[in-house]
Amino acid sequence: MKKVLLPVDGSCYTTKILERAKSLFDSKEVQITLLTVVNTPMHYKYDFEYKNALHHSQKNLENYAEMLSAYQVSTSVVYQLCDLPSRITLTVFL
């Protein structure tokens, strides 16, 4: 079985990418992983801001996975804390 990694960003191109993947791959021949990156400034002061960004991204991935319901789909969120002025970045794979 082939493994396909589809990075998605929630833009208008995401549905086009999913449709293209469906036209390229047979659902019985591939396992698709949908990946998104959540960039969050380190200056967020409250934990709920992080959780809100993460929850929103996970819901989007679930919606995209439903569009590929005939396929074996997994999802992954990369959570990236960034401090642009100092260029410090912490990346967490969830």
Side-chain angles (χ1 to χ4, degrees):
M1 180 171 282
K2 296 178 187 175
K3 295 184 179 185
V4 177
L5 177 64
L6 291 178
V8 296
D9 62 0
S11 71
C12 61
Y13 299 106
T14 299
T15 54
K16 292 178 183 180
I17 290 168
L18 299 178
E19 290 302 320
R20 182 71 173 148
K22 290 194 307 191
S23 71
L24 289 173
F25 304 109
D26 185 308
S27 62
K28 295 175 183 72
E29 296 177 0
V30 298
Q31 176 184 351
I32 296 175
T33 300
L34 300 175
L35 172 75
T36 194
V37 177
V38 178
N39 291 311
T40 306
M42 285 184 175
H43 69 267
Y44 276 6
K45 295 179 180 163
Y46 303 104
D47 190 44
F48 75 86
E49 292 174 301
Y50 298 113
K51 289 180 181 177
N52 188 34
L54 181 60
H55 176 74
H56 180 71
S57 295
Q58 289 173 328
K59 284 303 270 181
N60 282 344
L61 285 178
E62 289 172 13
N63 291 337
Y64 298 139
E66 285 179 21
M67 295 174 70
L68 299 169
S69 60
Y71 293 79
Q72 185 178 357
V73 179
S74 61
T75 61
S76 183
V77 176
V78 176
Y79 192 62
Q80 188 171 37
L81 295 172
C82 54
D83 183 16
L84 296 178
S86 63
R87 303 210 190 285
I88 296 172
T89 301
L90 170 66
T91 303
V92 179
F93 294 89
L94 302 175

